[in-house]
Amino acid sequence: MAGADVHAQRRRHVGSLGHEHLRRRRERGRLVAARSELRRSQGVVPFGVGAVIDFKSESLMSAGLDMWPTEQVGGEQRAALLAAGQVLDGRLADRLTIETGRPIRYFLSPAEAQERASMGATPRLDRAPMPFVRFPNWYFCPRCRVLKNVPWNAQSNADILKCSHMGRRVEGKGEPCGKLHARRRPALAPVRFVAACESGHIMDFPWLAWAHKDADRPCASAEGDLYLYSTPAAGLAGVRVMCTACGSGNSLAGAFRENVLTEIYGTGCPGHRPWLGPDATEPCSNLPQTIQRGASNAYFAKVVSSILIPPYSAKIRQILDRPETWDEIISTTMEGKVPESFLRKRAANLGVDPDSFVRAVFERLEAKPAAGEPDVGGETRYRYDEYKAFLGLRPPREERHDFDTDPRAAVDYGQTFQRLFSKVVLAPRLRETRVLTGFSRIVPPDALKGEPAKLSRRPKPWLPGFSVRGEGIFIQLRRDAIETWAARPEVDRRCETLAARSQKVQRDRGLPPKAVSPASLLIHTFSHLLIRQLAFECGYDSSSIRERLYVSDEPETTMAGLLLYTASGDSEGTLGGLVRQGEPERLHQTVRSAIRNALICSSDPLCIESQGQGLFSLNLSACHACSLLPETSCEEGNLLLDRALVVGTPDEPDVGFFSAFLD
C-alpha cells in the first residue's frame, strides 16, 4: 500500500486484537519503528487475500475481507475509509452480480496505513492498518535448528519470535540460545515448506508426523524435541527433520511426490483456511501436496478486469453507482415507481441536470440485473460493448475524464496500412478496474474443477479491487482482408494444429473448448510484436504495456481489433507517450519496424520451423527471443502465438498476413 506501514498493519491479526485492544496497545507506545511498504494495488494482486507475503524476517498472509478496516469500524471512520478506497464501475458490478449469484455493489481498495507522525498527532480517519495472519506457524532457529510452533496471531516484535530454547545445539558449539542475552538471541525464521490443495486450502507441513512416519512406536514428543538440520546429501535428501525424544527422523526426499501425504491426511484435505482465522476449516476431497512457501503455484489470483466505458463513465452514472445514493433513491419507491419530483430535487442538490438525472435513473432501473440471472453472452459480449465504445462517437467534452477517444481514419496512415487496417483510435484517457474474485493454489483458477477459494466467511456486497488510469491505442483490422487471408490452406493448417492441442488441454481440464481461429492467432501475435516495438520506441517497459484482445467470429459480436494500453498504479502510464506513438507519422513506421524485426529471430531456424513450443506446445513459431512478453502484459499466458502467421516462413512467405509491409 502506497505509504503503508506494513509493520503497523501486522499489529492487528485476524481475531487476535480487537479494535479497542489495538487502541490500548498503541496508547502504550508499542508500535514498531521499522517500515515496509507495498502499493495499494498490490494488496489486491499479487498479494491479495490468502497470499503469503515474505518479509525480511517473517512470513505473513493477507487476511480475509471480514477483518478489513471497513468491516471492523463504523461511524465517521468507516465513511472516511469508504470515501478513500471505494471504486465504482457499474458495468463490472452488474457482471459480477450475475457471475457470483449475489449483489455486488462496489469494489474496495486496501486502506493506507497511518503516516509516521510525531507523538500526540491525530490519526487520519481515512487511513487504517490492514490485517494479516502469521503463516506458516512453524519456525526454526538458524543457530540451534530447533523447530517451534508460533501462534497465528503472534505480533512482529513478540519475544516468542526469538529463540529461547535451552536444549542442545545440532550444529556448532556454544551456549544454548536460551542462555544468551535477550539481544543476542537469534530470530526464528519461517520454514520453507507447506502443504496445499487445489481448492486454495493451505496448512503447515506435518513436521511431527513426517519425522515419525517410519517409527515403530508412538512418541510423546513435546515442544523443543523437533529439529530441522542439513546433511551433506544433495537436494532434499540433505534436509532432515529429527525428533530427539525418540530418535526418529526423516529426510524430505520424496516429500514433493504426488499423493505422498496420503498416509498422513488420508484421502481428504483438512481444509484449513488460515486467512479466515484458525478455526476456518471446511470439508475437502482434494489431497494436499507439498509446495514451497514462495513457489509460483502457491497462489493464483482470479482477477476480472474491465475498461470503464460510456454511459458508465458519465458523471451522472457514477453518482448513481454510489451505494448510498442509489439506496436513497430506491427507498422512495412507491408502487414500483420512483417519484420524479424527488429525483429532480435530488439532482438539484447534486448539481446535475435534472432531465438527464431522471432519464439515467429510469434506464438503470430497467437494466439493473438481479443475482442469479443468466449471463447472456459472457465475456465475448462484455468485450463487444467495449469494442463498440471505441468505434463509437467521442464522449462530450465534460464526460472525458475517465474515457476519451480520438479516432483516426486508416487512410491517414498510408495505402498499405489502409489495405489491412480499418481504423485507429487514440485513447488519451481510459480507466481500468481490476477485481479479485477468488484464488486457487497448485493450478490456475481456469483449470480448477471446483469453485475458487472464498475471500470471506460471509458473502459481502463488495469485492477487493482497484482502479488505474492510463492511455492506449485501439487498432481495428479489416475483416474482409482477414477472411481472404484465412482461406489459404496453409493458414488453416497451422491454425488447426494449435486448435486441436488447445481443445485437448481444455478437455483434460474439464473446461469448455476455447475458440482458436486464424484471426485470434494473428491478432494476438501481432499484439505481442507491436508491444515489443513500442517498448523500444516510446520508452515504456514492456511490462507496463498491456494487451486487450477483441476477436470474435460470431455474427452478433464480430470483432477484429486490439487495445494496447498503459494502466499502472504509479505515475507510469499517464504521460502521453503511448498515444503520441499512435499518430499517423509514427504508427505506420512502428508497425513496419515490428513486422520487419519479426522476420528474423535469434533462435531461427529452430523457432520459425518449430512444430510446437511453450506449455503443452501451444505455440508454433514463437519464443522468448521474438514474441513472448512479461506475464502481466499477456491475456493468454504467452500461449497461442505463431509468428509465421504474421510474417510468413521462408518456404511459405504468403502465409504471413502482413507480408505487404515487407514489399
Side-chain angles (χ1 to χ4, degrees):
M1 286 118 259
D5 187 339
V6 174
H7 284 277
Q9 292 169 4
R10 301 177 202 174
R11 310 295 306 172
R12 199 178 82 198
H13 298 284
V14 171
S16 62
L17 297 176
H19 183 65
E20 181 64 22
H21 192 169
L22 178 65
R23 182 186 63 79
R24 291 199 300 269
R25 293 193 62 161
R26 283 177 172 167
E27 289 175 352
R28 293 198 294 267
R30 296 182 59 186
L31 284 177
V32 179
R35 294 169 64 87
S36 296
E37 297 183 353
L38 301 172
R39 292 198 301 269
R40 295 181 71 179
S41 60
Q42 290 180 308
V44 177
V45 60
F47 303 131
V49 173
V52 179
I53 309 174
D54 285 327
F55 294 99
K56 183 177 180 180
S57 59
E58 58 186 343
S59 176
L60 301 178
M61 177 180 286
S62 297
L65 304 184
D66 306 280
M67 290 305 298
W68 276 40
T70 52
E71 300 295 308
Q72 297 298 305
V73 300
E76 293 183 5
Q77 185 175 8
R78 185 175 188 275
L81 288 170
L82 284 175
Q86 198 172 68
V87 177
L88 301 175
D89 188 332
R91 191 171 77 104
L92 184 56
D94 291 345
R95 173 188 176 181
L96 293 178
T97 293
I98 295 175
E99 291 184 359
T100 62
R102 70 176 192 272
I104 300 297
R105 311 185 64 191
Y106 60 93
F107 312 109
L108 196 62
S109 296
E112 293 186 32
Q114 297 289 347
E115 294 180 348
R116 184 181 297 166
S118 59
M119 294 298 294
T122 303
R124 292 177 52 171
L125 292 179
D126 61 346
R127 297 194 174 192
M130 292 297 293
F132 293 85
V133 297
R134 188 168 298 283
F135 185 85
N137 298 121
W138 279 99
Y139 279 62
F140 75 98
C141 174
R143 182 174 181 268
C144 70
R145 313 300 296 181
V146 68
L147 277 167
K148 185 175 184 178
N149 193 288
V150 175
W152 63 279
N153 56 356
Q155 304 304 307
S156 298
N157 62 348
D159 293 337
I160 197 172
L161 291 179
K162 296 282 188 178
C163 183
S164 58
H165 186 51
M166 298 297 293
R168 70 182 185 88
R169 294 197 58 203
V170 177
E171 298 175 358
K173 299 179 180 179
E175 293 183 320
C177 295
K179 291 185 178 182
L180 298 175
H181 189 276
R183 294 184 179 179
R184 293 181 55 202
R185 291 177 184 174
L188 298 176
V191 296
R192 289 185 296 153
F193 309 109
V194 296
C197 81
E198 295 181 1
S199 297
H201 304 131
I202 192 168
M203 60 225 74
D204 281 284
F205 183 79
W207 297 104
L208 191 63
W210 189 265
H212 298 89
K213 187 163 64 78
D214 301 324
D216 297 331
R217 61 183 186 279
C219 172
S221 58
E223 180 79 16
D225 290 335
L226 283 184
Y227 286 80
L228 185 67
Y229 63 96
S230 302
T231 69
L236 291 175
V239 182
R240 291 187 60 85
V241 55
M242 181 184 68
C243 174
T244 56
C246 65
S248 299
N250 256 315
S251 75
L252 292 187
F256 285 81
R257 288 202 310 264
E258 188 177 3
N259 300 331
V260 72
L261 298 180
T262 303
E263 52 190 285
I264 295 176
Y265 292 118
T267 58
C269 170
H272 290 177
R273 299 181 292 175
W275 65 95
L276 300 181
D279 58 341
T281 59
E282 63 179 0
C284 179
S285 59
N286 292 322
L287 185 66
Q289 66 183 66
T290 306
I291 62 173
Q292 292 200 56
R293 185 188 72 232
S296 59
N297 65 345
Y299 187 78
F300 291 102
K302 184 178 181 181
V303 179
V304 180
S305 66
S306 172
I307 302 295
L308 189 63
I309 60 173
Y312 300 90
S313 60
K315 179 181 178 182
I316 290 179
R317 187 55 189 261
Q318 293 191 37
I319 291 175
L320 294 179
D321 286 336
R322 296 175 187 167
E324 64 276 7
T325 302
W326 188 249
D327 288 345
E328 183 183 11
I329 293 174
I330 294 300
S331 65
T332 63
T333 302
M334 299 175 59
E335 298 180 357
K337 297 183 179 180
V338 180
E340 187 172 332
S341 58
F342 167 78
L343 296 179
R344 291 186 175 277
K345 185 182 298 184
R346 193 72 181 90
N349 295 335
L350 293 171
V352 297
D353 178 63
D355 293 335
S356 300
F357 187 77
V358 171
R359 184 167 57 253
V361 169
F362 290 151
E363 289 176 355
R364 191 172 192 265
L365 285 171
E366 294 176 358
K368 188 67 176 175
E373 286 187 3
D375 186 7
V376 180
E379 177 69 18
T380 302
R381 185 70 203 187
Y382 196 79
R383 294 285 177 101
Y384 186 63
D385 292 338
E386 296 178 7
Y387 185 76
K388 292 190 299 181
F390 281 108
L391 297 177
L393 298 177
R394 188 175 190 180
R397 183 177 298 276
E398 64 274 10
E399 300 293 352
R400 297 175 185 173
H401 51 286
D402 282 334
F403 184 82
D404 186 17
T405 57
D406 185 7
R408 304 297 177 89
V411 67
D412 297 340
Y413 295 82
Q415 293 183 355
T416 304
F417 196 96
Q418 186 183 11
R419 292 204 305 267
L420 303 178
F421 298 93
S422 298
K423 198 172 186 179
V424 175
V425 180
L426 307 183
R429 292 185 184 89
L430 56 81
R431 197 184 101 185
E432 183 193 25
T433 304
R434 302 173 198 163
V435 176
L436 177 67
T437 62
F439 64 90
S440 63
R441 308 190 197 273
I442 312 298
V443 297
D446 292 341
L448 192 63
K449 295 182 179 180
E451 293 293 323
K454 296 180 180 179
L455 304 179
S456 60
R457 288 176 178 247
R458 296 174 295 277
K460 307 290 181 186
W462 56 275
L463 288 169
F466 65 96
S467 184
V468 289
R469 288 173 170 82
E471 54 176 325
I473 305 173
F474 175 86
I475 303 176
Q476 182 188 29
L477 282 75
R478 294 184 63 92
R479 192 71 198 183
D480 55 347
I482 292 179
E483 291 175 353
T484 302
W485 164 80
R488 299 174 180 174
E490 57 271 22
V491 172
D492 184 67
R493 173 176 52 81
R494 298 184 74 91
C495 178
E496 284 298 323
T497 299
L498 291 181
R501 294 173 184 173
S502 176
Q503 290 178 4
K504 181 180 184 304
V505 172
Q506 296 293 98
R507 185 171 59 251
D508 293 344
R509 292 178 172 181
L511 299 174
K514 179 184 296 185
V516 179
S517 65
S520 64
L521 295 175
L522 168 68
I523 294 176
H524 187 205
T525 309
F526 172 65
S527 171
H528 278 229
L529 299 177
L530 191 54
I531 287 177
R532 292 168 68 99
Q533 187 64 29
L534 285 170
F536 175 76
E537 293 188 356
C538 67
Y540 285 116
D541 187 86
S542 59
S543 61
S544 299
I545 305 177
R546 298 165 64 94
E547 69 177 5
R548 195 165 179 85
L549 307 177
Y550 301 94
V551 186
S552 173
D553 295 329
E554 298 296 327
E556 296 181 354
T557 57
T558 303
M559 297 181 285
L562 67 147
L563 171 68
L564 305 183
Y565 66 102
T566 63
S568 303
D570 51 20
S571 60
E572 190 172 22
T574 60
L575 302 179
L578 188 61
V579 165
R580 188 180 182 189
Q581 289 299 130
E583 297 289 347
E585 64 273 12
R586 295 176 179 270
L587 185 60
H588 181 276
Q589 185 58 41
T590 300
V591 172
R592 182 179 177 86
S593 298
I595 302 304
R596 292 183 66 87
N597 291 339
L599 270 176
I600 300 176
C601 171
S602 60
S603 297
D604 284 343
L606 296 178
C607 179
I608 196 66
E609 296 177 357
S610 173
Q611 298 301 310
Q613 300 185 75
L615 187 65
F616 303 116
S617 296
L618 287 177
N619 291 333
L620 289 180
S621 300
C623 68
H624 283 283
C626 62
S627 306
L628 303 192
L629 293 175
E631 293 292 340
T632 55
S633 300
C634 179
E635 288 193 315
E636 298 290 347
N638 274 325
L639 301 177
L640 300 176
L641 298 166
D642 185 7
R643 178 167 54 97
L645 295 181
V646 177
V647 298
T649 66
D651 297 333
E652 298 174 327
D654 292 339
V655 77
F657 179 80
F658 290 97
S659 298
F661 272 91
L662 304 175
D663 296 338

